[in-house]
Amino acid sequence: VKGKTTYKFWINLPEAEVLNSKPPILIFLHGKSLSGNDLNSVKKYGVIHEIEKGRKVPAIVIAPQVVSGSWDPDKILEVVQYVQANYETDLSRVYVCGMSLGGYGTMHFAGKYPNIVTAGVALCGGGNSSDACNLSSIPFWIQHGTADKAVPIKESRSMASAIRNCSNGGSKLIYTEINGANHGALERIFRSDEMYDWLFDKIKN
């Protein structure tokens, strides 16, 4: 989809049976290496890549592309609202996941709009401690490899610590360190059922 929102994006519609029963939305935010003007590069890894390999995702999947720099939560919201305006979706089930730069984007988007985001998964990213207490209000899963040289694990550790310092003690946070994993290793998370099952299980009150 181009020219409808600030970010151009892929949209993948589920099978008719799912589409016709108010499906959830899953947003995938890519890392820095996939930034630019070639939307096809967003298929190199992540959720759209897995769908093209045959994974059935019971959601409308949207995968925007940032040309350069950081993800802008307001522009991500613009894409979500465009999809919500054009398809009948379940507003209580809006999920976001991202890796690297997209991990930062996931924390920033969910941290700015916890009223919209149901749950999120941030892989090998980081964030702003000012978003922490908003993030603490929703189910959120941070994962990082201990051998990451591109984004040091201290970035995720500091966010996990900030979330735990909020009034609920970070009771909705899952924080996972993957021993010996480098930056690229976390791409495998998109290839297993665990992340999808965990996200789709969450419903906003």
Side-chain angles (χ1 to χ4, degrees):
V1 178
K2 296 179 179 178
K4 301 293 185 183
T5 57
T6 307
Y7 289 149
K8 55 190 180 295
F9 63 96
W10 290 108
I11 180 166
N12 187 86
L13 303 178
E15 295 168 334
E17 184 183 356
V18 177
L19 185 62
N20 295 333
S21 54
K22 294 185 73 172
I25 287 175
L26 173 61
I27 307 146
F28 164 67
L29 303 179
H30 65 72
K32 185 178 179 182
S33 67
L34 306 189
S35 301
N37 287 301
D38 178 10
L39 196 53
N40 282 311
S41 64
V42 176
K43 295 179 173 185
K44 285 184 178 172
Y45 67 78
V47 182
I48 297 290
H49 178 74
E50 295 310 309
I51 288 169
E52 291 208 326
K53 283 167 53 181
R55 174 174 289 279
K56 302 286 188 213
V57 177
I60 294 177
V61 176
I62 49 181
Q65 183 179 42
V66 63
V67 175
S68 62
S70 302
W71 284 102
D72 182 332
D74 298 334
K75 293 175 183 175
I76 298 168
L77 179 62
E78 188 188 0
V79 175
V80 173
Q81 290 176 333
Y82 171 85
V83 173
Q84 288 174 333
N86 284 276
Y87 299 91
E88 198 171 349
T89 68
D90 187 344
L91 301 183
S92 71
R93 301 177 71 209
V94 176
Y95 310 106
V96 58
C97 63
M99 180 172 168
S100 192
L101 181 74
Y104 283 89
T106 295
M107 289 201 216
H108 198 18
F109 177 61
K112 185 165 185 179
Y113 296 110
N115 57 318
I116 290 168
V117 175
T118 307
V121 174
L123 308 176
C124 56
N128 304 317
S129 58
S130 58
D131 288 326
C133 290
N134 279 348
L135 286 172
S136 76
S137 70
I138 62 173
F140 205 82
W141 191 358
I142 296 172
Q143 302 185 51
H144 213 122
T146 60
D148 193 328
K149 290 185 170 62
V151 178
I153 195 168
K154 70 177 196 288
E155 293 287 310
S156 283
R157 284 175 177 166
S158 68
M159 281 304 292
S161 175
I163 291 169
R164 288 178 182 134
N165 283 333
C166 297
S167 59
N168 67 355
S171 60
K172 297 185 178 184
L173 173 70
I174 300 176
Y175 176 65
T176 304
E177 292 190 357
I178 302 169
N179 197 40
N182 64 17
H183 191 65
L186 271 75
E187 182 269 334
R188 69 174 183 252
I189 304 293
F190 298 112
R191 288 186 255 141
S192 76
D193 294 338
E194 188 178 23
M195 180 191 81
Y196 304 96
D197 291 347
W198 183 82
L199 283 169
F200 294 144
D201 185 51
K202 309 295 180 284
I203 299 172
K204 206 176 239 345
N205 292 330

